Amino acid sequence: MRDDRPELGHLDAAESVPYALEALFALHRAGCGRTTSTCGGSWNGTEAARQAGHDRVVDAWGADPELLRRA
């Protein structure tokens, strides 16, 4: 995207999905305080990311986390 080549930018974005999911699940486990991938009750990944010092990343997500919560 940076080089004004959206077709390649989309491929880069698609390649990043597994890494984003790995980070999301790691934050989920950290938020639960356990090593399993499930925890009781609700969990706010955005808040966990902010507590871990990733404010800039969360801000870059825009409205996406809210859209995912509604899904």
Coordinates of all heavy atoms in Angstrom, one line a residue:
M1 N 0.8 -1.2 0.0 CA 0.0 0.0 0.0 C 0.9 1.3 0.0 O 0.5 2.2 -0.6 CB -0.9 0.0 1.2 CG -1.9 -1.1 1.3 SD -3.1 -1.0 0.0 CE -4.4 -2.0 0.6
R2 N 2.0 1.2 0.7 CA 2.9 2.3 0.9 C 3.4 2.8 -0.5 O 3.6 3.9 -0.7 CB 4.0 1.9 1.8 CG 5.1 3.0 2.0 CD 6.2 2.5 2.8 NE 6.9 1.4 2.0 CZ 7.4 0.3 2.5 NH1 7.4 0.1 3.8 NH2 8.0 -0.6 1.7
D3 N 3.7 1.8 -1.4 CA 4.2 2.1 -2.7 C 3.2 2.3 -3.8 O 3.5 2.2 -4.9 CB 5.2 1.0 -3.1 CG 6.4 0.8 -2.1 OD1 6.8 1.8 -1.6 OD2 6.8 -0.3 -2.0
D4 N 1.9 2.5 -3.3 CA 0.8 2.7 -4.2 C 0.6 1.5 -5.1 O 0.4 1.7 -6.3 CB 1.0 4.0 -5.0 CG -0.3 4.5 -5.7 OD1 -1.4 4.2 -5.1 OD2 -0.3 5.1 -6.7
R5 N 0.7 0.4 -4.5 CA 0.5 -0.9 -5.3 C -0.5 -1.7 -4.4 O -0.1 -2.7 -3.7 CB 1.8 -1.6 -5.5 CG 2.7 -0.8 -6.4 CD 4.0 -1.5 -6.6 NE 3.8 -2.6 -7.5 CZ 4.7 -3.5 -7.9 NH1 5.9 -3.4 -7.4 NH2 4.4 -4.5 -8.6
P6 N -1.8 -1.4 -4.5 CA -2.8 -2.0 -3.6 C -2.9 -3.5 -3.8 O -3.1 -4.2 -2.8 CB -4.1 -1.3 -4.0 CG -3.9 -0.6 -5.2 CD -2.4 -0.4 -5.4
E7 N -2.6 -4.0 -5.0 CA -2.7 -5.5 -5.2 C -1.7 -6.2 -4.3 O -2.0 -7.3 -3.8 CB -2.6 -5.9 -6.6 CG -1.3 -5.6 -7.3 CD -1.0 -4.2 -7.7 OE1 -1.9 -3.3 -7.6 OE2 0.1 -3.9 -8.1
L8 N -0.5 -5.7 -4.2 CA 0.5 -6.3 -3.4 C 0.3 -6.0 -1.9 O 0.6 -6.8 -1.0 CB 1.9 -5.8 -3.8 CG 2.3 -6.2 -5.2 CD1 3.7 -5.6 -5.5 CD2 2.4 -7.7 -5.3
G9 N -0.3 -4.8 -1.6 CA -0.6 -4.5 -0.2 C -1.6 -5.4 0.4 O -1.5 -5.8 1.5
H10 N -2.6 -5.9 -0.4 CA -3.6 -6.8 0.0 C -2.9 -8.2 0.3 O -3.3 -8.9 1.3 CB -4.7 -7.0 -1.0 CG -5.6 -5.8 -1.1 ND1 -6.4 -5.4 -0.1 CD2 -5.7 -4.9 -2.1 CE1 -7.1 -4.3 -0.4 NE2 -6.6 -4.0 -1.6
L11 N -2.0 -8.6 -0.5 CA -1.2 -9.8 -0.2 C -0.5 -9.7 1.1 O -0.4 -10.7 1.9 CB -0.3 -10.2 -1.4 CG -1.0 -10.6 -2.7 CD1 0.1 -10.8 -3.8 CD2 -1.7 -11.9 -2.5
D12 N 0.2 -8.6 1.3 CA 0.9 -8.4 2.6 C -0.1 -8.5 3.8 O 0.2 -9.1 4.8 CB 1.6 -7.0 2.6 CG 2.9 -7.1 1.8 OD1 3.4 -8.2 1.5 OD2 3.4 -6.0 1.5
A13 N -1.2 -7.9 3.6 CA -2.2 -7.9 4.7 C -2.7 -9.3 5.0 O -2.8 -9.7 6.1 CB -3.4 -7.0 4.3
A14 N -2.9 -10.1 3.9 CA -3.4 -11.5 4.1 C -2.3 -12.3 4.8 O -2.6 -13.1 5.6 CB -3.7 -12.1 2.7
E15 N -1.0 -12.0 4.5 CA 0.0 -12.8 5.1 C 0.2 -12.5 6.6 O 0.7 -13.2 7.4 CB 1.4 -12.5 4.4 CG 1.5 -13.1 3.1 CD 2.8 -12.8 2.4 OE1 3.5 -11.8 2.8 OE2 3.2 -13.5 1.5
S16 N -0.3 -11.3 7.0 CA -0.2 -10.9 8.4 C -1.2 -11.5 9.3 O -1.1 -11.4 10.5 CB -0.2 -9.4 8.5 OG -1.5 -8.9 8.2
V17 N -2.3 -12.1 8.7 CA -3.4 -12.6 9.5 C -3.0 -13.6 10.6 O -3.4 -13.5 11.7 CB -4.6 -13.1 8.6 CG1 -5.6 -13.8 9.4 CG2 -5.2 -11.9 7.9
P18 N -2.2 -14.6 10.2 CA -1.8 -15.6 11.2 C -1.0 -15.0 12.4 O -1.3 -15.4 13.6 CB -0.9 -16.6 10.5 CG -1.3 -16.4 9.0 CD -1.7 -15.0 8.9
Y19 N -0.2 -14.0 12.1 CA 0.5 -13.3 13.2 C -0.4 -12.5 14.1 O -0.3 -12.5 15.3 CB 1.6 -12.4 12.7 CG 2.6 -13.2 11.8 CD1 2.6 -13.1 10.4 CD2 3.5 -14.1 12.4 CE1 3.4 -13.9 9.6 CE2 4.4 -14.8 11.6 CZ 4.4 -14.7 10.3 OH 5.2 -15.5 9.5
A20 N -1.4 -11.9 13.5 CA -2.4 -11.1 14.3 C -3.2 -12.0 15.1 O -3.5 -11.7 16.3 CB -3.3 -10.3 13.3
L21 N -3.6 -13.2 14.6 CA -4.4 -14.1 15.4 C -3.5 -14.7 16.6 O -4.0 -14.9 17.7 CB -4.9 -15.3 14.5 CG -6.0 -14.9 13.6 CD1 -6.3 -16.1 12.7 CD2 -7.2 -14.4 14.3
E22 N -2.3 -15.0 16.3 CA -1.4 -15.5 17.4 C -1.3 -14.4 18.5 O -1.4 -14.8 19.7 CB 0.0 -15.8 16.8 CG 0.9 -16.4 17.8 CD 2.2 -16.9 17.2 OE1 2.3 -17.0 16.0 OE2 3.2 -17.0 18.0
A23 N -1.1 -13.2 18.1 CA -1.0 -12.1 19.1 C -2.4 -12.0 19.9 O -2.4 -11.8 21.1 CB -0.7 -10.8 18.5
L24 N -3.5 -12.1 19.2 CA -4.8 -11.9 19.8 C -5.0 -13.0 20.8 O -5.4 -12.8 22.0 CB -5.9 -12.0 18.8 CG -7.3 -11.9 19.3 CD1 -7.5 -10.5 19.9 CD2 -8.3 -12.1 18.2
F25 N -4.7 -14.3 20.5 CA -4.9 -15.4 21.4 C -3.9 -15.3 22.6 O -4.2 -15.7 23.7 CB -4.8 -16.7 20.7 CG -6.0 -17.0 19.8 CD1 -5.8 -17.2 18.5 CD2 -7.2 -17.0 20.4 CE1 -6.9 -17.5 17.7 CE2 -8.4 -17.3 19.6 CZ -8.2 -17.5 18.2
A26 N -2.7 -14.8 22.3 CA -1.7 -14.6 23.4 C -2.3 -13.6 24.4 O -2.2 -13.8 25.6 CB -0.4 -14.2 22.9
L27 N -2.8 -12.5 23.9 CA -3.4 -11.5 24.8 C -4.6 -12.1 25.5 O -4.9 -11.8 26.7 CB -3.9 -10.3 24.0 CG -2.7 -9.4 23.5 CD1 -3.3 -8.4 22.5 CD2 -2.1 -8.6 24.7
H28 N -5.4 -12.9 24.9 CA -6.5 -13.5 25.5 C -6.1 -14.4 26.7 O -6.7 -14.3 27.8 CB -7.3 -14.4 24.5 CG -8.5 -15.0 25.0 ND1 -8.6 -16.3 25.3 CD2 -9.7 -14.5 25.3 CE1 -9.8 -16.6 25.8 NE2 -10.5 -15.5 25.8
R29 N -5.1 -15.2 26.5 CA -4.6 -16.1 27.6 C -4.0 -15.2 28.7 O -4.3 -15.5 29.9 CB -3.5 -17.0 27.0 CG -4.1 -18.1 26.2 CD -3.0 -19.2 25.9 NE -1.9 -18.7 25.2 CZ -1.8 -18.6 23.8 NH1 -2.8 -19.1 23.1 NH2 -0.8 -18.2 23.2
A30 N -3.3 -14.1 28.4 CA -2.8 -13.2 29.4 C -3.9 -12.6 30.2 O -3.9 -12.4 31.4 CB -1.9 -12.2 28.8
G31 N -5.0 -12.2 29.5 CA -6.1 -11.5 30.1 C -6.9 -12.5 31.0 O -7.5 -12.1 32.0
C32 N -6.9 -13.8 30.7 CA -7.6 -14.8 31.5 C -6.7 -15.2 32.7 O -7.3 -15.7 33.7 CB -7.9 -16.0 30.7 SG -9.2 -15.8 29.5
G33 N -5.4 -15.0 32.6 CA -4.6 -15.4 33.7 C -4.3 -16.9 33.7 O -3.9 -17.4 34.7
R34 N -4.6 -17.5 32.6 CA -4.5 -19.0 32.5 C -3.7 -19.3 31.2 O -3.5 -18.5 30.4 CB -5.8 -19.7 32.4 CG -6.7 -19.4 33.6 CD -7.9 -20.3 33.5 NE -9.1 -19.6 33.8 CZ -10.3 -20.0 33.6 NH1 -10.5 -21.2 33.1 NH2 -11.3 -19.3 34.0
T35 N -3.4 -20.6 31.1 CA -2.7 -21.0 29.8 C -3.7 -21.6 28.8 O -3.3 -21.9 27.7 CB -1.6 -22.0 30.1 OG1 -2.2 -23.1 30.8 CG2 -0.5 -21.4 31.0
T36 N -4.9 -21.7 29.2 CA -5.9 -22.3 28.2 C -6.5 -21.2 27.4 O -6.3 -20.0 27.7 CB -7.1 -23.0 29.0 OG1 -7.7 -22.0 29.8 CG2 -6.5 -24.1 29.9
S37 N -7.1 -21.6 26.3 CA -7.6 -20.6 25.4 C -9.0 -20.2 25.7 O -9.7 -19.4 25.0 CB -7.5 -21.1 23.9 OG -8.3 -22.2 23.8
T38 N -9.6 -20.7 26.8 CA -11.0 -20.3 27.2 C -10.9 -19.7 28.6 O -10.1 -20.0 29.4 CB -11.9 -21.5 27.2 OG1 -11.4 -22.4 28.1 CG2 -12.0 -22.1 25.8
C39 N -11.8 -18.8 28.8 CA -12.0 -18.2 30.1 C -13.4 -17.9 30.3 O -14.2 -17.6 29.4 CB -11.1 -17.0 30.4 SG -11.4 -15.6 29.4
G40 N -13.9 -17.9 31.6 CA -15.3 -17.6 31.9 C -15.5 -16.1 31.8 O -14.7 -15.3 32.0
G41 N -16.8 -15.8 31.4 CA -17.2 -14.4 31.3 C -16.7 -13.8 30.1 O -16.2 -14.4 29.2
S42 N -16.8 -12.5 30.0 CA -16.4 -11.7 28.9 C -14.9 -11.3 29.0 O -14.4 -11.2 30.1 CB -17.3 -10.5 28.6 OG -17.2 -9.6 29.7
W43 N -14.3 -11.0 27.9 CA -12.9 -10.6 27.9 C -12.8 -9.4 26.9 O -13.3 -9.5 25.8 CB -12.0 -11.7 27.5 CG -10.6 -11.4 27.4 CD1 -9.7 -11.2 28.4 CD2 -9.9 -11.1 26.2 NE1 -8.5 -10.9 27.9 CE2 -8.6 -10.8 26.6 CE3 -10.2 -11.1 24.9 CZ2 -7.6 -10.4 25.7 CZ3 -9.2 -10.7 24.0 CH2 -7.9 -10.4 24.4
N44 N -12.1 -8.4 27.3 CA -11.9 -7.3 26.5 C -10.5 -7.2 26.0 O -9.6 -6.8 26.7 CB -12.3 -6.0 27.2 CG -12.2 -4.8 26.4 OD1 -11.7 -4.8 25.3 ND2 -12.9 -3.7 26.8
G45 N -10.3 -7.7 24.7 CA -8.9 -7.7 24.2 C -8.3 -6.4 24.0 O -7.1 -6.2 24.1
T46 N -9.2 -5.4 23.7 CA -8.7 -4.0 23.5 C -8.1 -3.5 24.8 O -7.0 -2.9 24.8 CB -9.8 -3.1 23.1 OG1 -10.8 -3.8 22.4 CG2 -9.3 -2.0 22.2
E47 N -8.8 -3.7 25.9 CA -8.3 -3.3 27.2 C -7.0 -4.0 27.6 O -6.0 -3.4 28.1 CB -9.3 -3.5 28.3 CG -8.9 -2.9 29.6 CD -8.7 -1.4 29.6 OE1 -9.3 -0.7 28.8 OE2 -7.8 -1.0 30.4
A48 N -6.9 -5.3 27.3 CA -5.7 -6.1 27.6 C -4.5 -5.6 26.8 O -3.4 -5.4 27.3 CB -5.9 -7.6 27.3
A49 N -4.8 -5.2 25.5 CA -3.7 -4.7 24.7 C -3.2 -3.3 25.2 O -2.0 -3.1 25.3 CB -4.2 -4.6 23.3
R50 N -4.2 -2.5 25.7 CA -3.8 -1.2 26.2 C -3.0 -1.4 27.5 O -2.0 -0.7 27.7 CB -5.0 -0.3 26.5 CG -5.6 0.2 25.2 CD -6.6 1.3 25.5 NE -7.4 1.7 24.4 CZ -6.9 2.5 23.4 NH1 -5.7 3.0 23.6 NH2 -7.6 2.9 22.4
Q51 N -3.4 -2.3 28.4 CA -2.6 -2.6 29.6 C -1.2 -3.1 29.3 O -0.3 -2.9 30.1 CB -3.4 -3.6 30.5 CG -4.7 -3.0 31.1 CD -5.4 -4.0 31.9 OE1 -5.1 -5.2 32.0 NE2 -6.6 -3.6 32.4
A52 N -1.1 -3.7 28.2 CA 0.3 -4.3 27.8 C 1.1 -3.2 27.2 O 2.2 -3.5 26.7 CB 0.1 -5.5 26.9
G53 N 0.6 -2.0 27.0 CA 1.3 -0.9 26.5 C 1.2 -0.7 25.0 O 2.1 -0.1 24.3
H54 N 0.2 -1.3 24.4 CA 0.0 -1.2 22.9 C -1.0 -0.2 22.5 O -1.8 -0.5 21.6 CB -0.3 -2.6 22.4 CG 0.7 -3.6 22.7 ND1 2.0 -3.6 22.2 CD2 0.7 -4.7 23.5 CE1 2.7 -4.6 22.7 NE2 1.9 -5.3 23.5
D55 N -1.0 0.9 23.1 CA -2.1 2.0 22.8 C -2.1 2.4 21.4 O -3.1 2.5 20.8 CB -1.8 3.2 23.7 CG -2.1 2.9 25.2 OD1 -3.0 2.1 25.5 OD2 -1.5 3.5 26.0
R56 N -0.9 2.6 20.8 CA -0.8 3.0 19.4 C -1.4 2.0 18.5 O -2.1 2.4 17.5 CB 0.6 3.3 19.0 CG 1.2 4.6 19.6 CD 2.6 4.9 19.2 NE 2.8 4.8 17.8 CZ 4.0 4.6 17.2 NH1 5.1 4.6 18.0 NH2 4.1 4.5 15.9
V57 N -1.2 0.7 18.7 CA -1.7 -0.3 17.9 C -3.3 -0.3 18.0 O -4.0 -0.4 17.0 CB -1.1 -1.7 18.3 CG1 -1.8 -2.8 17.5 CG2 0.3 -1.7 18.1
V58 N -3.8 -0.3 19.2 CA -5.2 -0.3 19.5 C -5.9 0.9 18.8 O -6.9 0.8 18.1 CB -5.5 -0.3 21.0 CG1 -7.0 -0.2 21.2 CG2 -5.0 -1.6 21.6
D59 N -5.2 2.1 18.9 CA -5.8 3.3 18.3 C -5.8 3.1 16.7 O -6.8 3.6 16.1 CB -4.9 4.5 18.6 CG -5.1 4.9 20.1 OD1 -6.1 4.5 20.7 OD2 -4.2 5.6 20.6
A60 N -4.9 2.4 16.2 CA -4.8 2.2 14.7 C -6.0 1.3 14.3 O -6.4 1.3 13.1 CB -3.5 1.6 14.3
W61 N -6.5 0.5 15.2 CA -7.6 -0.5 14.8 C -8.9 0.3 14.5 O -9.7 -0.2 13.8 CB -7.9 -1.4 15.9 CG -6.8 -2.4 16.2 CD1 -5.8 -2.8 15.3 CD2 -6.6 -3.2 17.4 NE1 -5.0 -3.8 15.9 CE2 -5.5 -4.0 17.2 CE3 -7.3 -3.3 18.5 CZ2 -5.1 -4.9 18.1 CZ3 -6.9 -4.2 19.5 CH2 -5.8 -5.0 19.3
G62 N -9.0 1.5 15.0 CA -10.2 2.3 14.7 C -11.5 1.6 15.3 O -11.4 1.2 16.5
A63 N -12.5 1.4 14.5 CA -13.8 0.9 15.0 C -13.8 -0.7 14.9 O -14.8 -1.3 15.2 CB -14.9 1.5 14.3
D64 N -12.8 -1.3 14.3 CA -12.8 -2.7 14.1 C -13.1 -3.6 15.3 O -13.9 -4.5 15.2 CB -11.5 -3.2 13.4 CG -11.3 -2.7 12.0 OD1 -12.3 -2.2 11.5 OD2 -10.2 -2.8 11.5
P65 N -12.5 -3.3 16.5 CA -12.9 -4.2 17.6 C -14.3 -4.1 18.0 O -14.9 -5.2 18.3 CB -12.0 -3.6 18.8 CG -10.9 -2.9 18.1 CD -11.4 -2.4 16.8
E66 N -15.0 -3.0 17.9 CA -16.4 -2.9 18.1 C -17.2 -3.7 17.1 O -18.2 -4.4 17.5 CB -16.9 -1.4 18.1 CG -18.3 -1.2 18.5 CD -18.7 -1.8 19.8 OE1 -17.9 -1.7 20.8 OE2 -19.8 -2.3 20.0
L67 N -16.8 -3.6 15.9 CA -17.5 -4.4 14.8 C -17.3 -5.9 15.1 O -18.3 -6.7 14.9 CB -16.9 -4.1 13.5 CG -17.2 -2.7 13.0 CD1 -16.4 -2.4 11.7 CD2 -18.6 -2.4 12.7
L68 N -16.2 -6.4 15.6 CA -16.0 -7.8 15.9 C -16.8 -8.2 17.1 O -17.3 -9.3 17.1 CB -14.5 -8.0 16.2 CG -13.6 -8.0 14.9 CD1 -12.2 -8.1 15.4 CD2 -14.0 -9.1 13.9
R69 N -17.0 -7.3 18.1 CA -17.8 -7.7 19.3 C -19.2 -7.9 18.9 O -19.9 -8.7 19.5 CB -17.7 -6.6 20.3 CG -16.6 -6.7 21.3 CD -16.7 -5.8 22.5 NE -16.4 -4.5 22.2 CZ -15.1 -4.0 22.1 NH1 -14.1 -4.8 22.4 NH2 -14.9 -2.7 21.9
R70 N -19.7 -7.2 17.9 CA -21.1 -7.3 17.4 C -21.3 -8.6 16.6 O -22.5 -9.0 16.4 CB -21.5 -6.1 16.6 CG -21.6 -4.9 17.4 CD -22.0 -3.7 16.5 NE -21.8 -2.5 17.2 CZ -21.9 -1.3 16.5 NH1 -22.2 -1.3 15.3 NH2 -21.7 -0.2 17.2
A71 N -20.3 -9.2 16.0 CA -20.4 -10.3 15.2 C -20.8 -11.6 15.9 O -20.7 -11.7 17.1 CB -19.1 -10.6 14.4

